[in-house]
Amino acid sequence: MRTRRRGNPVGSFGPGGDGAGISRRGVLAGGIGTGALVALPDLGLGGRPAGHGLSDPAAMRYAFVYGTPGGDPAPGGSLVAAMCPASPPASRANPQSVSRAVAAPAPVPLAIKLAAAPVSSADRATTALATVDMVHDGAKVTLTLLDATSAAFARQGSVTVTGVPADAQVLVTPVFAPGSAIVSLVLAITEPVGKRMVRKAHPHTGSLVARLVTIWRSHHALAYFDQRSGAMTGPFHLSDEPSLALSTAAANGSDLLLWTTREPQPGDPAEVRAQASLSRLSVFPLGSGKARLSALAPAPWPGGEPVATLPTGDVARLVRGRHVQVYSARTAEMAELQIPAFSQVSAKPSAVTMQARADGTVFLTKPGAGVAVIADPADSFRTRTRIHFPVPASPLGAPWSKAVLSPAGETMYVLGSAATGGLSAYRVGSGKLAASYSEGRHYYGIYQLPSGTLLAVQAQNPRLAFFNADLSPLGTADTNLHVSAIF
Amino acid sequence: MTGYDTAGRIQDIHASAHSEFGARPNYWIRYFTPSPAADLFNDDATAESRGAWDSGGPFVGCISAPTQSRLSGSAAEGHADAQAFAAAMLAAYHAVGPMRLPANGQLYCWLDQEYSTSLSASYWNAWANYIAEYDFAGLGTYPLYPCLYCDPHSEHPNCSTIARSRQTDKPSAIWSSEPEPCGRLTRPPRWKAHKCPTVPTRLWQFGEQGACNFTADVDLNLGAPGFITARYCFHISRRP
């Protein structure tokens, strides 16, 4: 039976329980976003008194839970963070784990009304939040960097896009650059350029209904934040109108690579229509609003596909759930490679993920096909390891993290099958099942925290469930967020 | 009226689907940008349309499956995803000469919300509003209608979100993924699709490839009684 204790959501918390490690200035609230973020101490830290934390600084990190608040979308709703002590699950795969149950962490609210999902640096030490507020002279875009070791707001910078009307849409994408202190901000600015009264058929009755419609145009702008100095430069407006707001971006130590697509227009001549499937890749030196290189890029259009910056500085896009496009940051040339394990097409798409690893390989997952791969970009993405597993429930639904690789790469943790639920662990070397846990409950996302603790996400509270690396249950925590991702 | 949906390319799939089900589909529903994990109709709309014609089901419905965490996000994210979806449909329409809008002026545009995904009001309202107000091809007829694919009984917000939307942003229809009794293209189950309280379910995915062990890369769908799904799809009027 779970016990529940409620407390002040912005009260004492943190590694020492006294709040000393936290220097938040209250909950960050953007103006026009929706998503909310709570900080979650790694379970390895939960209940430890000050001075008795983990010795490994890398493990002293928070996880950040991102989602949309449950209940009415009142601004205050997301401030009500659940405070849950340890809660031994009703049934356990390993009875010994009962004695190891420790105080479960208490999710603490950090931000609401985020303009877009957070983004973490490659080493997960920093997480970037973007908020947008409409102010008297335009749209104020604020980038906040969270320190994962303290959950404190480490850095913050703002830039105002002037002349933007209050009903504009500003989509912000922060981009970390491995090996650089510069965080790029890709701003997609969509403004109303006209309104028109039209008559449109009612979908059910067919009767014509008068309606005021808005005509929109989008373009992009760039801004750059220097983590050392705290200086923000920009915005640098790009002359790419009319463009689709949706873009893809990645950075290496010197450049920002940005894929954009021209918005097709009704009056486009045939030669323009013929190139409609193409996008454009532009390469900007970090800090600059002027591309040093720009070239047409083959389909598909950018739009949420996983990207990874490779050790060479080139960037890989995982497209169509089965092909990797490797773009040269130097020349913008592209080579398309197939991931053989992902080649099978099916009726339904699957979530796909691609993550660069410290040893230069990449970890790719396709849970809808029940397969994960470690591939070597230095060898044309040759498959080094392939691991098969039963397809989990909701392989396309959020969160997209359905399988994770342990930091040392010896174990892969994955959601259990659609039939059994739970979690499974596979030995990477042999591809064989090493352990499994199930009490009939389905999880929809899995993450591994720096301490090695596994965090699984389920639909209803307690939405957050913690496990040891051997899949022994550790405890659970409530959150008022419908969880989309963990950072 | 039954038909297929697929994340693969129609031209690669229709023959195997015909072999398995022994009948022509009335329509196909295909993925458009932004659907980052699927083969996209708009990547080669001519070849896909040719495939639809050759299959005997020359009607193409449109769905978009964005990265699912975005559906919990902001209005700016919903707006951007809808803009890309509308542009992808327009690019396909431009690319395929014999591609026609529905004669009734209503092209259903589906947003894919999976079971474990939460739909925020900000995202939905912006997405639906952009679709509903898009002046497709400059025709001035505003033929795009926002619709939602979901599991109405999911524990994650979907029906409750659209129930709060303004009248003009309400989906025109629900495409329900549950229940899943399986069946055949020519022998669909009796209509018992799950529904949301405020919006009618007009399409039912009664058989998913994985759950029903279909060999062909298709899912099976059935329109509600009296609802002719193909009338809300693009029509390929001749072989491109």
Side-chain angles (χ1 to χ4, degrees):
Chain A
M1 176 181 175
R2 284 188 301 122
T3 56
R4 183 175 300 201
R5 181 182 70 219
R6 295 200 182 277
N8 180 354
V10 292
S12 171
F13 67 99
D18 59 358
I22 308 300
S23 59
R24 291 178 298 110
R25 294 178 294 274
V27 172
L28 178 70
I32 57 174
T34 295
L37 194 75
V38 297
L40 189 70
D42 195 328
L43 196 60
L45 310 175
R48 290 169 188 270
H52 291 78
L54 299 177
S55 57
D56 178 5
M60 302 284 285
R61 290 184 181 175
Y62 282 71
F64 300 112
V65 182
Y66 172 68
T68 193
D72 293 333
S78 59
L79 297 175
V80 183
M83 312 289 277
C84 273
S87 55
S91 80
R92 294 174 180 280
N94 178 2
Q96 290 184 333
S97 64
V98 174
S99 62
R100 293 203 301 268
V102 297
V108 176
L110 276 180
I112 57 174
K113 295 187 177 180
L114 296 173
V119 176
S120 285
S121 60
D123 62 4
R124 296 169 65 186
T126 308
T127 296
L129 312 180
T131 55
V132 178
D133 291 282
M134 289 305 178
V135 294
H136 70 281
D137 58 344
K140 181 183 178 187
V141 177
T142 301
L143 175 72
T144 302
L145 299 180
L146 286 171
D147 177 9
T149 59
S150 64
F153 297 166
R155 283 284 189 184
Q156 194 171 62
S158 295
V159 61
T160 298
V161 184
T162 57
V164 173
D167 53 352
Q169 302 284 354
V170 181
L171 183 62
V172 186
T173 306
V175 185
F176 284 97
S180 168
I182 303 297
V183 180
S184 307
L185 291 179
V186 178
L187 312 177
I189 302 159
T190 302
E191 300 180 59
V193 295
K195 292 186 184 293
R196 187 183 302 164
M197 186 62 75
V198 304
R199 295 169 70 82
K200 177 164 179 157
H202 188 279
H204 302 144
T205 65
S207 60
L208 292 176
V209 178
R211 170 172 189 152
L212 185 65
V213 303
T214 304
I215 303 155
W216 302 90
R217 286 288 179 276
S218 302
H219 76 283
H220 291 89
L222 302 178
Y224 299 95
F225 182 72
D226 189 326
Q227 297 182 69
R228 293 163 304 190
S229 66
M232 181 80 84
T233 55
F236 304 106
H237 291 273
L238 310 183
S239 54
D240 64 348
E241 185 179 307
S243 175
L244 297 182
L246 206 52
S247 68
T248 292
N252 57 31
S254 58
D255 293 313
L256 171 72
L257 284 73
L258 177 64
W259 286 262
T260 56
T261 308
R262 180 183 177 278
E263 183 185 18
Q265 300 296 303
D268 282 344
E271 60 271 23
V272 174
R273 291 182 180 184
Q275 293 201 330
S277 65
L278 300 173
S279 300
R280 180 164 291 279
L281 168 61
S282 301
V283 182
F284 299 86
L286 290 179
S288 172
K290 185 174 181 183
R292 67 169 176 78
L293 180 64
S294 185
L296 292 174
W301 290 355
E305 71 281 10
V307 291
T309 302
L310 305 177
T312 57
D314 295 344
V315 173
R317 297 171 68 199
L318 177 55
V319 299
R320 305 180 199 99
R322 57 198 171 101
H323 296 130
V324 172
Q325 294 182 341
V326 180
Y327 285 85
S328 164
R330 192 171 54 83
T331 65
E333 290 178 347
M334 188 277 286
E336 185 163 296
L337 308 163
Q338 178 143 324
I339 305 297
F342 289 6
S343 61
Q344 185 182 347
V345 174
S346 61
K348 199 171 185 64
S350 164
V352 284
T353 63
M354 176 169 63
Q355 190 175 22
R357 304 181 66 231
D359 67 358
T361 62
V362 293
F363 177 59
L364 305 103
T365 70
K366 190 171 184 178
V371 65
V373 160
I374 298 173
D376 185 1
D379 189 9
S380 301
F381 273 77
R382 185 178 61 82
T383 298
R384 280 193 178 181
T385 303
R386 178 189 304 199
I387 306 165
H388 292 275
F389 53 88
V391 175
S394 196
L396 179 59
W400 268 25
S401 179
K402 314 286 186 187
V404 294
L405 195 61
S406 63
E410 80 285 5
T411 306
M412 185 187 77
Y413 301 97
V414 62
L415 302 181
S417 73
T420 64
L423 303 173
S424 298
Y426 290 82
R427 290 190 186 91
V428 170
S430 65
K432 291 184 175 173
L433 182 68
S436 62
Y437 168 83
S438 176
E439 18 71 76
R441 182 172 290 163
H442 281 289
Y443 300 100
Y444 297 103
I446 183 172
Y447 297 84
Q448 188 162 36
L449 308 181
S451 69
T453 299
L454 295 163
L455 171 54
V457 177
Q458 54 192 342
Q460 295 290 347
N461 271 324
R463 292 192 173 108
L464 306 169
F466 298 84
F467 296 85
N468 269 342
D470 64 1
L471 300 187
S472 299
L474 287 173
T476 59
D478 283 6
T479 173
N480 70 327
L481 299 183
H482 294 285
V483 180
S484 296
I486 308 286
F487 295 90
Chain B
M1 184 181 224
T2 54
Y4 298 135
D5 72 84
T6 181
R9 297 179 294 208
I10 299 174
Q11 65 270 29
D12 298 340
I13 287 169
H14 71 80
S16 62
H18 192 275
S19 295
E20 183 164 5
F21 297 107
R24 65 173 183 83
N26 289 293
Y27 53 87
W28 294 81
I29 299 181
R30 283 287 288 121
Y31 289 84
F32 286 70
T33 298
S35 305
D39 281 290
L40 300 170
F41 185 91
N42 50 294
D43 274 0
D44 190 351
T46 300
E48 295 254 7
S49 299
R50 222 173 266 147
W53 178 270
D54 293 344
S55 78
F59 294 89
V60 177
C62 309
I63 187 170
S64 170
T67 305
Q68 290 287 293
S69 61
R70 292 174 66 84
L71 272 63
S72 306
S74 65
E77 289 174 296
H79 202 269
D81 287 354
Q83 183 194 44
F85 187 18
M89 290 185 286
L90 179 61
Y93 179 77
H94 279 165
V96 183
M99 181 178 257
R100 303 280 180 259
L101 284 163
N104 63 10
Q106 296 189 29
L107 180 66
Y108 276 14
C109 303
W110 301 96
L111 174 67
D112 184 335
Q113 182 194 359
E114 293 295 313
Y115 175 85
S116 61
T117 301
S118 300
L119 182 64
S120 75
S122 296
Y123 181 96
W124 170 260
N125 289 338
W127 189 91
N129 191 265
Y130 187 91
I131 292 292
E133 295 190 355
Y134 186 68
D135 185 10
F136 192 84
L139 299 172
T141 55
Y142 302 88
L144 307 190
Y145 285 75
C147 300
L148 182 65
Y149 167 95
C150 68
D151 174 358
H153 293 182
S154 167
E155 298 161 286
H156 302 265
N158 47 36
C159 299
S160 59
T161 301
I162 58 174
R164 288 199 298 262
S165 59
R166 292 181 300 159
Q167 189 62 35
T168 50
D169 299 335
K170 278 201 187 305
S172 299
I174 296 295
W175 173 9
S176 174
S177 60
E178 293 290 340
E180 194 161 48
C182 299
R184 307 290 290 178
L185 190 69
T186 51
R187 293 193 306 278
R190 285 185 62 189
W191 181 262
K192 56 176 179 179
H194 289 174
K195 53 190 178 184
C196 292
T198 59
V199 177
T201 296
R202 293 193 145 168
L203 194 57
W204 176 24
Q205 191 178 57
F206 65 86
E208 274 193 276
Q209 180 193 16
C212 301
N213 296 315
F214 300 147
T215 303
D217 297 323
V218 293
D219 300 326
L220 303 186
N221 300 282
L222 174 67
F227 180 76
I228 311 298
T229 309
R231 291 182 183 170
Y232 299 83
C233 299
F234 279 122
H235 178 212
I236 314 301
S237 62
R238 59 178 166 79
R239 192 173 194 273

